[in-house]
Amino acid sequence: MSVDSVINLPQVRLSCRDCSLAELCLPRGLDAQDLERFEAVVGQKPPLQSGELAYHAGDASHALYAVKSGSLKIVMSALDGEEQIIGFSMPGELFGFDGIQNGHTCTAVALERTNICELPLDSISEISKEIPSLNRELYKVMAHEISLDQSMLLLLARRNAEDRLAAFLLSLSQRFANRGFSEVDFTLSMSRHDIANYLGLAAETVSRLFSRLADGGLLAVNGRKIKIHNLQGLRQRVGDCLGGATSATAG
Amino acid sequence: MSVDSVINLPQVRLSCRDCSLAELCLPRGLDAQDLERFEAVVGQKPPLQSGELAYHAGDASHALYAVKSGSLKIVMSALDGEEQIIGFSMPGELFGFDGIQNGHTCTAVALERTNICELPLDSISEISKEIPSLNRELYKVMAHEISLDQSMLLLLARRNAEDRLAAFLLSLSQRFANRGFSEVDFTLSMSRHDIANYLGLAAETVSRLFSRLADGGLLAVNGRKIKIHNLQGLRQRVGDCLGGATSATAG
DNA sequence: CGTTAATTTGATCATCTTCAACATGAGTGG
DNA sequence: CCACTCATGTTGAAGATGATCAAATTAACG
């Protein structure tokens, strides 16, 4: 799972140029010169242990974050204590968009040992004035986030449990593939309970659906280890549901 | 319902300064001088009749839009033809954020006779370089859109049918109030079918829920005319669900 | 005023939730 | 190395919520 490409010293400046995720991350649109200026404002946070928070709902939001290794869940809490997982963030993905206005509306929880880069909003805002392509890229990333959330609305409102899980697995598969990992053979970093919450289902239902998909020969499940045997079949089962939904940036 | 404050000539330049919705709309953060520059790039489209489109999924996206009067639904289509209403846009609200990147992912349909202002992306991008407060405001509006979509995810994933409808009505009530209309007495511009689609329910269920809420004495329903008798009670019924969810900008 | 669309209401059915019991597995301490 | 515990996951059975099908009623509009 580890995608670290640098030694993880807390708070060191780090080079996006040397980062294996640069093609997926915010600076993907920048030329060498602008990239250098961009790097100068990027900080690295100490690694998060599983269960630790990158930020908490209610915190003032002073930065965006990029996942360098590991993964997180982005959780929105209702006033009555009910929680909803809004998305999962994987290496190369940005998170922290929730409540750029009035402080965070979500909490970001590491699902495993996780390294993140910090992009202070002030600095970003400052340099994006002078780097139009960065400004454009930021808009794009936010518009993308909107599209993903909206695809997720369609999934929750119109699809049954099995379609939702299949779409979720396909999304993960796609995201692993984009990062150079196997698209048919991966390990989930989130619990059944987290998957269920994300998909608006009960954990028991998710468990049953995994069994059913496995019985159907589409995939093999061993705890959190997934082997997709029939990617094409899985795609067909999802139907033509989604135009690529289920989160690639979140928060 | 009509909030027109100028005569509706197609494509005329119009004054945001004279618009009764200025406080709700994008230019709310601008001083007099910047407002003038902003106005210069705003165009007005010919009024849309009920059922007409502001844009269609697949169209290149070359503008953001603001509702001047009337209302629209923002609809996302899955490849298999299934449709999901992502939000409803009311006067003073912006829409058209879907697919700023690769063309629109949604279709915007007028629910009644509707006037909209057009903010060409090129011009916006141009002048926002020179008006930092406009740039900031744009980010805020998009971040707000993300928060709303995410609150909607919580609503769809975790709340039952009655809570969803109550939350929807409260959201409308709030938005009418913000626009100077009664918060307890208003007319829906969307059909039961549209409401049901938006809330991930069947139209029959929505109809039954209206009856049930009316039987409970919380409100009176007469077709699309709603009279809320017990706003506080409605709020309690929704519980502490939402931090203000259910769409104020969409698309 | 007649025709069509929208809405309401009823009855039945399916999906998914809930409750409960059991299995598995990692981690701890004897 | 094994027993114990707590967390996580699986499976079964019953029940509830909301969907679907069907029919009746009302509203909208030319």
Side-chain angles (χ1 to χ4, degrees):
Chain A
M1 256 306 210
S2 178
V3 194
D4 299 40
S5 59
V6 295
I7 299 160
N8 297 311
L9 297 175
Q11 301 294 9
V12 296
R13 292 269 173 255
L14 70 160
S15 162
C16 295
R17 280 165 291 188
D18 295 339
C19 180
S20 62
L21 298 163
E23 290 308 307
L24 297 164
C25 194
L26 189 58
R28 66 188 151 192
L30 304 186
D31 61 30
Q33 194 182 349
D34 290 341
L35 188 52
E36 196 167 348
R37 300 185 58 191
F38 179 79
E39 282 175 0
V41 307
V42 177
Q44 185 159 2
K45 307 270 282 182
L48 299 171
Q49 301 303 320
S50 180
E52 284 186 341
L53 310 182
Y55 57 80
H56 190 278
D59 289 355
S61 72
H62 60 274
L64 294 177
Y65 303 91
V67 184
K68 190 148 181 55
S69 67
S71 54
L72 306 94
K73 58 179 175 183
I74 313 298
V75 186
M76 165 169 274
S77 300
L79 297 175
D80 62 359
E82 195 137 31
E83 300 199 326
Q84 174 63 30
I85 296 176
I86 296 302
F88 299 102
S89 296
M90 291 177 52
E93 293 172 352
L94 292 180
F95 65 97
F97 294 108
D98 56 286
I100 283 188
Q101 11 179 25
N102 303 314
H104 286 291
T105 57
C106 297
T107 300
V109 186
L111 294 172
E112 56 194 315
R113 189 184 161 85
T114 296
N115 283 285
I116 60 180
C117 302
E118 187 178 48
L119 321 175
L121 287 175
D122 288 348
S123 315
I124 293 285
S125 152
E126 194 60 37
I127 66 170
S128 71
K129 272 185 215 155
E130 299 150 29
I131 308 181
S133 61
L134 178 62
N135 202 33
R136 259 202 310 280
E137 192 64 25
L138 263 174
Y139 278 120
K140 270 195 183 181
V141 169
M142 290 182 72
H144 187 232
E145 173 70 20
I146 291 174
S147 289
L148 289 172
D149 288 345
Q150 294 183 346
S151 298
M152 198 64 199
L153 289 178
L154 192 154
L155 195 71
L156 290 181
R158 307 246 77 78
R159 303 296 171 179
N160 65 18
E162 189 166 319
D163 282 355
R164 292 185 208 175
L165 182 60
F168 172 69
L169 290 174
L170 283 175
S171 162
L172 284 184
S173 164
Q174 186 61 54
R175 286 150 85 188
F176 279 118
N178 288 342
R179 281 152 189 79
F181 297 103
S182 169
E183 64 183 350
V184 295
D185 199 337
F186 48 84
T187 298
L188 305 172
S189 60
M190 66 290 288
S191 69
R192 296 288 189 270
H193 187 275
D194 283 344
I195 297 172
N197 180 290
Y198 178 59
L199 297 176
L201 301 170
E204 295 92 329
T205 303
V206 169
S207 185
R208 273 183 256 271
L209 289 173
F210 269 124
S211 303
R212 205 197 302 170
L213 289 175
D215 289 349
L218 287 175
L219 47 79
V221 190
N222 183 0
R224 297 191 179 183
K225 282 200 269 294
I226 305 288
K227 248 190 227 301
I228 299 177
H229 290 143
N230 186 349
L231 198 58
Q232 207 51 48
L234 202 60
R235 291 212 181 96
Q236 281 170 9
R237 175 140 328 192
V238 178
D240 332 72
C241 284
L242 308 167
T246 321
S247 189
T249 60
Chain B
M1 256 306 212
S2 178
V3 195
D4 298 41
S5 59
V6 296
I7 299 160
N8 296 309
L9 297 175
Q11 301 293 7
V12 295
R13 292 269 174 254
L14 71 159
S15 163
C16 295
R17 280 165 291 188
D18 296 339
C19 179
S20 61
L21 298 164
E23 291 306 307
L24 296 165
C25 195
L26 188 58
R28 66 188 153 193
L30 304 186
D31 62 30
Q33 191 182 354
D34 290 340
L35 189 52
E36 195 167 348
R37 299 185 59 192
F38 179 79
E39 283 174 3
V41 306
V42 177
Q44 187 159 3
K45 305 269 284 182
L48 299 171
Q49 301 304 321
S50 179
E52 284 187 341
L53 311 183
Y55 56 79
H56 190 279
D59 289 355
S61 73
H62 61 275
L64 294 177
Y65 304 91
V67 183
K68 190 149 183 55
S69 67
S71 53
L72 306 94
K73 59 179 175 183
I74 313 297
V75 187
M76 166 169 272
S77 300
L79 297 174
D80 62 358
E82 196 137 29
E83 299 198 328
Q84 174 62 31
I85 296 177
I86 295 303
F88 299 102
S89 297
M90 291 177 52
E93 293 172 351
L94 293 179
F95 66 97
F97 294 108
D98 56 284
I100 284 189
Q101 11 179 24
N102 302 315
H104 286 292
T105 57
C106 298
T107 300
V109 186
L111 294 171
E112 56 195 314
R113 189 183 161 85
T114 297
N115 283 286
I116 60 179
C117 303
E118 185 177 50
L119 321 175
L121 287 175
D122 287 347
S123 315
I124 293 284
S125 151
E126 194 61 36
I127 67 171
S128 71
K129 272 184 216 159
E130 298 149 32
I131 307 179
S133 62
L134 178 62
N135 202 33
R136 261 201 309 280
E137 191 64 25
L138 265 173
Y139 277 120
K140 271 196 184 181
V141 170
M142 289 183 72
H144 187 231
E145 172 69 21
I146 290 174
S147 289
L148 290 171
D149 288 344
Q150 294 182 347
S151 299
M152 198 62 197
L153 289 178
L154 192 154
L155 194 72
L156 290 181
R158 306 246 77 78
R159 303 296 173 180
N160 66 18
E162 189 166 319
D163 282 355
R164 293 185 208 175
L165 182 61
F168 173 69
L169 290 174
L170 283 175
S171 162
L172 284 184
S173 165
Q174 185 59 53
R175 287 151 83 187
F176 280 118
N178 287 343
R179 280 152 191 79
F181 297 102
S182 169
E183 63 183 350
V184 295
D185 200 337
F186 48 85
T187 299
L188 304 172
S189 60
M190 67 291 289
S191 68
R192 297 287 189 269
H193 187 274
D194 282 345
I195 297 172
N197 180 290
Y198 178 59
L199 297 175
L201 302 170
E204 293 93 330
T205 302
V206 170
S207 183
R208 272 183 257 270
L209 289 173
F210 269 123
S211 303
R212 205 197 301 171
L213 290 175
D215 290 347
L218 288 175
L219 46 79
V221 190
N222 183 0
R224 298 193 180 183
K225 283 200 269 293
I226 306 288
K227 250 192 228 299
I228 298 177
H229 291 144
N230 186 350
L231 197 56
Q232 208 51 48
L234 203 58
R235 290 212 182 95
Q236 281 169 9
R237 176 139 329 194
V238 178
D240 332 73
C241 281
L242 306 169
T246 320
S247 189
T249 59

